[in-house]
Amino acid sequence: MFSYSLNSLIVFYAVAKTRSFSKAANMLFMTQPGVSNHVSQLEAQTGTMLLKREKGKFQLTKEGKAVFKHAEKIEAIARGLENTIKAIKKDAKPLLKIAITPVYSRVMMPFILGSFQKANPDIMIKIDLGNSDDMLKTVVSMQNDVAVLANQMTSQKVFAFPLLKEELVLITCNDHPLSAKESASLQEIAEYPLVIREEGSSTRKVVLSALKSMNIGLPVLIEVRSTEFIKEWVSQGKGVSILIKRAVMDDERKYLKVIPLKESLFLKVSVLFLKSKKYDTSIQKFVDHIAQLKAESYLQHLKDTIIPA
């Protein structure tokens, strides 16, 4: 590092420029003793006297004049940098990075983000898609600011704001043996190949945990990363699957049957963010917006599954 303090150099410049310790103190919003200390510190660092003091007045020494020339240039550069930083802060929009699963990016986020950006046009949004486990890791590692995820066992570092509960249902093709049933049990489902999301999926964890708790042998598992591919696979009669009810859109019900489960299974969806970022303005605005949507108008047809905050 430098053999001198940049702060002390700027204070020295102000003193030499105004020809007064008191005026320099007022200009820099400092005390006069503080200004004197900085000048004395700079003299000690340079190893030479910069000011010749006489009866309450001072003059620049030869060495002081040489230092002043450089200090003047450095102060101008520092002032220019400060103005640039202020302009950047004024013009740059804050960025909110949101981690979410592909299904929620399609069935939930369009309305949330549409209304959020309408209320907060100054905040830019970046979406990151992946399974629940991977997306939670991006929040913990601070790659993303918030995550909208289901059934995550969070660490002490993460705060979870409860959003809603999602019902899990069975889906089959139209001519599947289970398609005519009003409801189906997990025991019945175990007789057929089960198309399920990959490791890290919250839906997968809930389904396999339920099968294990009921001592039901695992069916043949077909692992798929894409929910859209799962629905396509099921529609062709190559297996059955368990998904959140809202993952199957109205137009998809023409070739898919949605059947309630006799054993009620749910995903609890929360907005997750680091406790250390609790006072981040963009995060707080996002959470407040969701809280307002929950309380007033968000997805009224799901009002029975909204989780109290």
Side-chain angles (χ1 to χ4, degrees), residues 176-229:
H176 191 276
L178 296 177
S179 62
K181 288 184 168 291
E182 292 186 4
S183 63
S185 68
L186 292 176
Q187 188 66 60
E188 292 174 293
I189 294 171
E191 299 177 20
Y192 304 97
L194 182 63
V195 188
I196 197 166
R197 287 286 304 275
E198 80 286 0
E199 289 280 355
S201 161
S202 294
T203 301
R204 175 195 177 99
K205 290 178 184 177
V206 170
V207 172
L208 296 188
S209 176
L211 290 171
K212 183 178 180 180
S213 69
M214 297 176 65
N215 295 317
I216 298 174
L218 290 179
V220 176
L221 295 180
I222 303 171
E223 293 190 4
V224 180
R225 287 190 62 87
S226 166
T227 299
E228 298 309 304
F229 188 82

Side-chain angles (χ1 to χ4, degrees), residues 30-56:
M30 296 174 62
T31 63
Q32 190 166 328
V35 170
S36 296
N37 286 337
H38 271 290
V39 173
S40 297
Q41 178 177 307
L42 185 62
E43 288 181 322
Q45 291 167 342
T46 58
T48 186
M49 184 180 294
L50 303 176
L51 300 177
K52 184 179 180 181
R53 300 166 177 84
E54 291 181 354
K55 299 179 181 180

Side-chain angles (χ1 to χ4, degrees), residues 104 132 149-151 164-168 201-207 243-244 265-270 305 307:
Y104 289 145
S132 297
L149 303 174
N151 287 58
L164 53 82
K165 285 167 61 179
E166 294 279 20
E167 179 186 1
L168 294 179
S201 161
S202 294
T203 301
R204 175 195 177 99
K205 290 178 184 177
V206 170
V207 172
L243 300 174
I244 63 171
L265 297 181
F266 293 92
L267 295 181
K268 294 182 179 180
V269 183
S270 300
T305 62
I307 302 175

Side-chain angles (χ1 to χ4, degrees), residues 99-114 127-130 148 166 171 197 226-232 243-253 255-256 298-299:
I100 194 166
T101 60
V103 170
Y104 289 145
S105 72
R106 184 169 66 96
V107 303
M108 182 188 299
M109 294 309 288
F111 176 80
I112 290 180
L113 291 184
I127 301 294
D128 190 7
L129 301 180
V148 181
E166 294 279 20
I171 63 168
R197 287 286 304 275
S226 166
T227 299
E228 298 309 304
F229 188 82
I230 287 177
K231 291 185 285 188
E232 179 63 26
L243 300 174
I244 63 171
K245 186 175 182 179
R246 287 196 297 131
V248 185
M249 310 301 284
D250 290 341
D251 60 330
E252 294 170 334
R253 295 180 186 239
Y255 54 88
L256 288 172
Y298 174 56
L299 295 179

